[in-house]
Amino acid sequence: MTSGTRRTGIEKAMKTVLLISALASVLIVLLIFIFTMKEATPAFREIGVWKMLSDTTWRPGNDQFGILAMIAGSGLVTLGAVLIGVPLALGTAVFLSEIAPCWIAGIVRPSIELLAGIPSVVYGLFGMVVLVPLVRTIPAPGNAGYGLLAASIVLAVMILPTIANISEFAIRSVPKGYKEGSLALGATKWETISRVIIPAAKPGIISAVVLGLGRALGETIAMIMVIGNSVILPTAITDNPLSIFLSRARTLTGNIAVEISYATGIHESALFATGVVLFILIMLVNGSARFLMKMGVKS
Amino acid sequence: MEAERAEKTRMMTEDYSLFYGDFKALNNINIKIPTNKITAFIGPSGCGKSTLLRSFNRMNDLIPGVTTAGTIFLDGRNVAREDVVELRKKVGMVFQRPNPFPKSIFDNVAYGPRLHGTKNRSDLAVIVEKSLKRAALWEEVKDDLHKSGMSLSGGQQQRLCIARAIAIEPEVILMDEPASALDPVATLKIEELMNVLKRNYTIAIVTHNMQQAGRVSDYTAFMLTDEKRAGNLIELGPTKQIFTTPSDSRTEDYISGRFG
């Protein structure tokens, strides 16, 4: 064999190897979906997909398997986390990329990375010991501290590093020319940040938020520890609609984790069905983010 | 009227030096930029001509570690004491690489006026049209004002940036090698445009291209680094004179292509 044909051989082999690595993740996602779906099928068939999605009562002993309360729980806690976490993360990102002197950024950035490395169970502990008692001081009948608010705060801190990191990168990637162009027109630093830099970094910021959303929807143990885990459709506990966040709740992930160890039969299948719903929810979030990003790029 | 205005000095430096940390990049520059004329800065790479240009609207403020000595005047007022936002309203800038914002053509031109308080859509439309006309771009884009400024060709983008700069009615336009990223046809258009613009604006341009300086400018300043690599002004004079009978032999060497 000449060296030429040997090199072409290696080329081809490498191409195949790389293709297989790329396909592996696609395959794994497919496999996970198929097997979860397979386990969930009995529940979907016997209970009915719509019945599961629209019923708020989850009583496995009674053969009642409605997961709407958990969908609401996951949705609300994620919403809360985004409302608290995104402004904080964006503020951090803008500060680190545009405002902080090197030495301050040198302290803040590693701290945020450290935050990303803390195991979620430790966040849960922190939430139980610090946040729950703090939330409990809010005067409202039935407020036990455990609930959506404490969970949202914990979750906000957990998604902060992801969103801050990726947003900072997106902001740093904005061409220097935009900034100079804006300043040269007499814009102040803040005007430049808000009118040119952040809009230009928007696609990156959106993907950062979506990655955060994905993490928030998937978070399990820390949620179990602070959210209260009652299977109820969260409602406002006082006249103030915001007090809905003082309500206890359960997340889709928490539902699976809490009950899977002892569930059998249709109950077990219903938990897999919960997993399928979670899976689809996350796909929807990612899909809409892609769509939003495309729209952002176009305009 | 024209003759009288020609006598006037719009901007002026007095013993102006600039340091990057300990390194002196500009050494004791004394220069006058006459009103409604085009003044070109030429010289080899690294001679400080861009740095000097960026001193006129204090863009060097952005660079950490920069300190200055001496004074720069705009209409007799020390620019260092001016509010930097006000200064940059009066002294606009066009950059080497066309840098339209990722916004529509309309929003690009309206960016400055909006910043400085024009909110009314129809007022903005008037300003946008006028500025694009002055930048000789209107005919090419008038039906596509909503399109992204990034979708234009390089030459059009640069004229968009010029329109954006003149939309806030500056007195001075600084141009930092505005045509160096453009093809010859687009370059010619920018040069023609500059000749028209000088009726209303004072223009200072940095260029690597000596033919360009010869073609467009009324005055030429030749800069060169000294033995310590600090930029010095060698001479400033009417362009014709600099190109035919320079008073300094180094200018002559540079013009005739003996170095640089």
Side-chain angles (χ1 to χ4, degrees), chain A residues 12-196:
Chain A
K12 278 187 181 156
M14 280 316 292
K15 239 185 204 170
T16 318
V17 168
L18 295 176
L19 180 69
I20 290 172
S21 343
L23 284 181
S25 45
V26 179
L27 199 71
I28 291 168
V29 171
L30 266 177
L31 282 178
I32 291 177
F33 186 73
I34 289 170
F35 280 96
T36 320
M37 196 63 197
K38 182 175 154 276
E39 296 295 322
T41 307
F44 282 138
R45 198 170 284 155
E46 281 178 38
I47 308 157
V49 176
W50 180 245
K51 176 82 178 148
M52 275 194 85
L53 291 177
S54 60
D55 195 353
T56 56
T57 319
W58 175 270
R59 268 196 214 112
N62 249 351
D63 278 353
Q64 284 175 297
F65 297 102
I67 59 169
L68 184 60
M70 272 84 82
I71 296 177
S74 277
L76 280 168
V77 78
T78 302
L79 177 74
V82 165
L83 287 179
I84 302 168
V86 168
L88 210 60
L90 274 188
T92 311
V94 170
F95 177 76
L96 285 179
S97 53
E98 292 295 323
I99 293 162
C102 273
W103 67 274
I104 294 186
I107 297 171
V108 176
R109 203 173 290 119
S111 320
I112 293 172
E113 274 156 23
L114 215 59
L115 217 53
I118 297 175
S120 57
V121 69
V122 176
Y123 279 105
L125 286 175
F126 172 79
M128 286 174 81
V129 178
V130 179
L131 290 174
V132 169
L134 210 64
V135 172
R136 199 179 288 141
T137 60
I138 299 174
N143 173 21
Y146 289 95
L148 285 167
L149 180 59
S152 293
I153 298 171
V154 169
L155 208 49
V157 180
M158 293 180 76
I159 62 175
L160 187 135
T162 314
I163 303 181
N165 261 335
I166 300 173
S167 301
E168 188 197 343
F169 181 74
I171 293 169
R172 279 187 189 280
S173 310
V174 171
K176 207 174 112 214
Y178 295 172
K179 187 174 163 184
E180 287 193 324
S182 171
L183 292 170
L185 286 165
T188 61
K189 199 168 190 173
W190 172 244
E191 285 164 342
T192 300
I193 290 170
S194 63
R195 297 183 190 210
V196 175

